[in-house]
Amino acid sequence: MGAGVPAAGGLSLEQVDPDIFAATQRESRRQNDAINLIASENYCSRAVREAQGSVMTNKYAEGYPGKRWYNGCEFVDQAEQLAIDRARELFGADHVNVQAHSGSGANMAAYYALLKDGDRMLAMDLAHGGHLTHGHRLNFSSRAFDVVAYGVDRETERIDYDTMHALAVEHRPNLIVMGASAYPRIIDFARAREIADEVGALLMADIAHIAGVIIGGDHPDPVPLCDVVTSTTHKTLRGPRGALVLCREEHAKRIDRQIFPGIQGGPLMHTIAAKAVCFKEAMGSDYKECQKQVVRNAKVMADALASKGLRIVSGGTDNHLMLVDLTPIDLTGDVAATTLEQAGITVNKNAIPFDPKPPAKASGVRLGTPALTTRGMGADEMTLVADRIFDALRHVDDEQRLSLIRSEMLELASAFPIP
Ligand code: DSN
């Protein structure tokens, strides 16, 4: 008995792999120390991380609860069924698939479920705030389907629904896709539904960015209006890195078949368990209050930056993010993001609508408040950070000044530890 080779199962990460352990420690420190304004990032709870790091990662469970290809699935079935039931209640959807590994995969499954190869979709231009999977020329979405892009109005920098309507009438798309990754305003799903109905198109919403804002009640809910809704689970939603698909009952079978076996094999059961935890948290009143604070914080920050003379695309924000046009202060997004990093503030460069600069330089930065709000920061902190952003951007070559701001931002971060 017991003459086999023992596995290293009982040793800690630090003992087995000091290099990866050190990298995770450094990443943890970086997350704690930085003022994080990346609009798509957040800090999930310890409970979510525990589920994500659990033994459920060891289990193969191709199929769906009660209908698996492998034995031994009774407990992962419980986890997945809880995730499905909670998401259905949270979003008020007929049907939910919680297996999508990523937002891109969720969108791919939705397109393949709703469309045939070569069918046409009308979706928002990435250059105006859309997403790669909404038809960018290098993405699968434009290779598999015929994509017509809509965008924002040059003056208002808000979605131009009249032009969208005209494009829909002209091109008769099979599917209209709403949703964005860098759009600070309310999306009018009701208008989109009207347009879709007029031209006989299906309607899909990708709410990866605004899922939490919708649950918080500050953004209209697309679920009652759309055929399919996709979302990631790690942005405003504050769960593990992954995604889900919500749909009307009539599309349920096709969505499930497209996720598995269409584009995925074994589901990530540890991530699905963590999604279940996230959905439970999102049903709480403190979660909703946090989402409302995210939006209040974004408004305060946008107003504070505007009062300094920076131009906020579309004049402000209705959600968790804003785009800052750096053209008036003669900076590129690239230089601004690097400068802010030196000052202890993490952001990403971002194209603005009708940007004359190439995407790798860009004319803007995208700022979002979910991560700082999760740390407990409020209006005073937003005003302070906005002030230091402006200060840093006016002193891009002044290393001493940037270092002083960095120390101040570190002090601020330390006062609001990641929960
Ligand atoms: N990369 C995500 C974002 O930052 O918005 C979109 O997929």
Side-chain angles (χ1 to χ4, degrees):
M1 290 282 283
V5 180
L11 301 180
S12 70
L13 175 60
E14 187 175 13
Q15 289 166 317
V16 173
D17 193 335
D19 298 324
I20 289 295
F21 177 74
T24 58
Q25 292 296 104
R26 286 194 288 265
E27 174 59 10
S28 174
R29 169 61 66 90
R30 187 197 67 77
Q31 289 186 15
N32 273 291
D33 289 354
I35 291 298
N36 183 9
L37 288 169
I38 293 184
S40 50
E41 292 185 8
N42 213 328
Y43 308 112
C44 62
S45 68
R46 178 180 162 185
V48 166
R49 284 186 283 122
E50 258 181 49
Q52 171 90 354
S54 74
V55 294
M56 293 221 172
T57 194
N58 294 332
K59 190 70 195 103
Y60 250 121
E62 280 161 315
Y64 290 99
K67 277 175 81 178
R68 305 284 191 182
W69 289 90
Y70 295 79
N71 290 85
C73 286
E74 58 267 45
F75 303 117
V76 293
D77 272 6
Q78 287 173 9
E80 183 162 349
Q81 197 56 54
L82 278 169
I84 291 168
D85 293 345
R86 288 172 184 172
R88 203 192 280 134
E89 184 183 339
L90 181 65
F91 290 100
D94 290 350
H95 181 78
V96 180
N97 185 305
V98 294
Q99 290 194 2
H101 300 332
S102 70
S104 294
N107 287 350
M108 183 185 258
Y111 299 157
Y112 281 114
L114 299 177
L115 301 173
K116 299 185 300 299
D117 284 1
D119 272 359
R120 185 168 291 155
M121 72 166 90
L122 182 60
M124 188 158 172
D125 193 340
L126 177 68
H128 288 210
H131 187 255
L132 277 173
T133 57
H134 298 182
H136 186 270
R137 66 185 174 81
L138 298 177
N139 186 260
F140 81 89
S141 47
S142 72
R143 295 169 67 177
F145 307 107
D146 178 17
V147 184
V148 177
Y150 63 85
V152 299
D153 174 78
R154 195 179 271 275
E155 287 304 310
T156 64
E157 299 177 308
R158 296 174 189 231
I159 292 173
D160 181 348
Y161 293 95
D162 291 339
T163 302
M164 192 180 132
H165 174 241
L167 286 170
V169 169
E170 182 186 349
H171 296 283
R172 315 296 295 188
N174 306 87
L175 175 69
I176 297 180
V177 181
M178 304 304 291
S181 58
Y183 183 66
R185 294 301 186 175
I186 296 287
I187 296 173
D188 189 346
F189 295 117
R191 178 85 197 270
R193 180 78 256 179
E194 275 171 27
I195 296 171
D197 286 346
E198 184 183 328
V199 300
L202 295 166
L203 182 64
M204 168 178 151
D206 174 347
I207 59 168
H209 263 268
I210 56 173
V213 181
I214 291 167
I215 293 167
D218 280 318
H219 194 290
D221 180 3
V223 173
L225 296 164
C226 290
D227 291 276
V228 173
V229 175
T230 60
S231 182
T232 50
T233 44
H234 50 274
K235 296 188 176 85
T236 49
L237 204 45
R238 217 178 64 194
R241 187 161 295 278
L244 81 165
V245 184
L246 316 164
C247 66
R248 290 182 172 171
E249 194 54 49
E250 69 206 79
H251 305 300
K253 272 209 177 93
R254 268 176 297 149
I255 288 289
D256 283 352
R257 272 200 219 121
Q258 276 308 324
I259 291 282
F260 170 82
I263 59 168
Q264 291 184 181
L268 308 178
M269 294 315 306
H270 54 308
T271 305
I272 289 170
K275 287 174 192 175
V277 178
C278 157
F279 302 145
K280 181 172 184 175
E281 290 176 351
M283 284 191 252
S285 56
D286 52 343
Y287 176 92
K288 290 192 179 66
E289 183 44 39
C290 179
Q291 295 295 339
K292 288 194 165 301
Q293 189 62 42
V294 165
V295 175
R296 284 195 289 267
N297 279 350
K299 286 188 199 302
V300 170
M301 180 164 284
D303 287 350
L305 291 169
S307 74
K308 301 264 170 210
L310 288 174
R311 193 183 86 79
I312 309 299
V313 168
S314 82
T317 178
D318 299 325
N319 60 24
H320 63 300
L321 67 80
M322 68 211 74
L323 282 174
V324 184
D325 177 7
L326 301 156
T327 318
I329 56 169
D330 208 20
L331 284 181
T332 62
D334 187 30
V335 169
T338 307
T339 301
L340 291 172
E341 177 103 66
Q342 281 178 269
I345 301 167
T346 317
V347 306
N348 63 276
K349 60 178 172 263
N350 215 102
I352 60 169
F354 307 100
D355 202 326
K357 298 196 175 79
K361 293 258 176 259
S363 294
V365 285
R366 185 185 66 166
L367 310 180
T369 52
L372 294 189
T373 309
T374 296
R375 294 177 85 139
M377 294 189 198
D380 291 348
E381 290 75 31
M382 296 305 114
T383 309
L384 174 70
V385 172
D387 186 76
R388 299 312 183 265
I389 287 173
F390 185 73
D391 197 9
L393 295 181
R394 300 312 289 160
H395 298 92
V396 293
D397 295 320
D398 186 342
E399 284 190 15
Q400 210 179 348
R401 185 80 160 240
L402 296 178
S403 168
L404 273 176
I405 299 172
R406 187 183 184 86
S407 303
E408 206 182 346
M409 292 298 97
L410 179 58
E411 202 178 315
L412 175 64
S414 309
F416 291 88
I418 294 171

